[in-house]
């Protein structure tokens, strides 16, 4: 492909900024504050699954439309990675680039949604204490673990965990896209380099994700690749029933892009 001229680059950037401004004009001026850490957990009668996920390990399973996955981080492990696929057609899966581009932000927190590569909404962030999640860098790999812990450390990584997880659903390594990692406060410094703000990982944080269709989930309790050397600690996973989203639901109405995503999702599910 021919290299673009400076004029073409400038024109493309100007068009991007124009579209970004138009998109931001439809976004809420203020998203809700973080969910209080002492918020009541779901009632026992609503809970469908409750598991402690040890440090370094993974969980995979099915979540039904309207159910909520709550990931609680009582001991402040620096990163819990997640991937998800459409149960009816796993070729449709979480797309980190579209999730960022469609919503004009990499800051995913309460009120935002996770998009598939088909422009449909897979998960909605309905509660969130942290607001510091990374969907750019990706999860840990054998190489990142070797750099931080040493080549013979035996520390597990998200990439290998996801390979094991997808195999349980008849999927392969080809079905593994870049993941989102919760409780991972990644920033970009003045030199354009990513950095990890370990002090912003707080004990007791949790995030709650509502399934917008029947999904396959995979969760890897492995620290973010930029996190400092730590011993992974357990997190708590809960899947519970929740009231149906109403017409004024924040995640369904926060942006024009989310509205269109839910129109696509609802049309697909009603077909």
């Amino acid at each position: 492909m021919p290299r673009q001229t400076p004029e073409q680059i400038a024109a493309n950037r100007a068009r991007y900024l124009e579209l970004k401004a138009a998109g931001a004009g439809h976004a809420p001026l203020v998203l809700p504050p973080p969910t209080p850490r002492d918020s009541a957990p779901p009632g026992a009668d609503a809970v469908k699954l409750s598991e402690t996920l040890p440090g370094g390990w993974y969980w995979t399973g099915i979540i039904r439309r309207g159910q909520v996955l709550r990931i609680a981080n009582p001991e402040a492990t620096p990163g819990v990675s997640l991937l998800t696929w459409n149960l009816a057609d796993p070729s449709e899966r979480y797309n980190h680039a579209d999730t960022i581009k469609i919503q004009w932000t990499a800051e995913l927190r309460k009120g935002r949604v996770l998009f598939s590569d088909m422009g449909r909404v897979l998960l909605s962030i309905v509660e969130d204490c942290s607001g510091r999640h990374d969907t750019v860098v990706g999860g840990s790999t054998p190489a990142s673990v070797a750099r931080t812990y040493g080549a013979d450390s035996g520390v597990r990584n998200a990439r290998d965990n996801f390979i094991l997880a997808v195999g349980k659903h008849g999927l392969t390594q080809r079905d593994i896209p870049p993941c989102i990692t919760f409780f991972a406060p990644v920033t970009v410094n003045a030199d354009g380099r990513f950095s990890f703000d370990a002090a912003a990982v707080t004990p007791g944080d949790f995030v709650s994700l509502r399934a917008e269709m029947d999904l396959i989930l995979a969760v890897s309790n492995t620290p973010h690749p930029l996190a400092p050397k730590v011993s992974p600690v357990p997190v708590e996973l809960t899947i519970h029933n929740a009231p149906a989203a109403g017409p004024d639901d924040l995640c369904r109405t926060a942006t024009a892009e989310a509205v269109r995503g839910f129109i696509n999702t609802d049309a697909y599910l009603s077909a």
Side-chain angles (χ1 to χ4, degrees):
M1 181 176 179
R3 181 174 295 180
Q4 290 185 328
T5 65
E7 292 76 15
Q8 289 173 319
I9 293 172
N12 290 339
R13 177 169 177 76
R15 179 58 176 160
Y16 167 80
L17 292 174
E18 178 187 349
L19 293 171
K20 181 179 180 181
H26 291 287
L29 295 178
V30 180
L31 283 171
T35 304
R37 294 186 183 91
D38 59 356
S39 296
D45 57 339
V47 172
K48 309 299 291 183
L49 176 144
S50 180
E51 285 202 14
T52 298
L53 183 59
W57 291 87
Y58 73 92
W59 173 89
T60 186
I62 305 302
I63 186 171
R64 298 295 177 179
R65 184 185 186 193
Q67 292 182 332
V68 173
L69 169 68
R70 173 170 161 144
I71 306 173
N73 193 6
E75 300 181 58
T77 194
V80 179
S81 297
L82 177 143
L83 284 174
T84 187
W85 301 259
N86 177 352
L87 177 62
D89 179 6
S91 68
E92 180 177 12
R93 59 201 185 188
Y94 169 66
N95 187 293
H96 75 124
D98 286 355
T99 294
I100 294 169
K101 290 186 298 182
I102 290 173
Q103 297 175 105
W104 301 100
T105 182
E107 185 183 15
L108 300 183
R109 55 193 177 106
K110 183 177 179 179
R112 298 297 187 183
V113 300
L114 275 60
F115 279 93
S116 78
D117 46 8
M118 299 293 184
R120 295 187 277 257
V121 180
L122 300 175
L123 292 163
S124 296
I125 305 176
V126 293
E127 300 293 348
D128 180 19
C129 305
S130 168
R132 302 295 300 273
H133 313 302
D134 171 53
T135 193
V136 177
V137 175
S140 60
T141 64
S144 71
V145 166
R147 285 194 300 268
T148 303
Y149 297 89
D152 300 320
S153 65
V155 173
R156 298 169 66 92
N157 67 86
R159 179 68 177 175
D160 287 345
N161 277 351
F162 285 139
I163 291 173
L164 294 172
V166 300
K168 294 184 174 181
H169 303 282
L171 305 176
T172 70
Q173 187 171 341
R174 295 174 58 187
D175 299 295
I176 301 174
C179 66
I180 182 170
T181 302
F182 296 101
F183 319 115
V186 174
T187 58
V188 181
N189 62 25
D191 297 326
R193 293 181 174 273
F194 292 110
S195 62
F196 193 92
D197 182 8
V201 184
T202 306
D205 277 348
F206 67 87
V207 61
S208 294
L209 309 166
R210 185 180 65 214
E212 303 301 350
M213 61 177 72
D214 292 349
L215 299 171
I216 298 169
L217 289 176
V219 180
S220 179
N221 183 12
T222 41
H224 190 275
L226 298 182
K229 185 177 180 178
V230 296
S231 296
V233 292
V235 297
E236 304 293 334
L237 305 181
T238 306
I239 293 178
H240 63 90
N241 294 329
D248 59 346
D249 179 78
L250 173 66
C251 295
R252 297 183 68 94
T253 59
T255 65
E257 292 78 13
V259 170
R260 287 195 293 271
F262 276 104
I263 290 172
N264 292 339
T265 307
D266 294 342
Y268 166 74
L269 293 175
S270 63

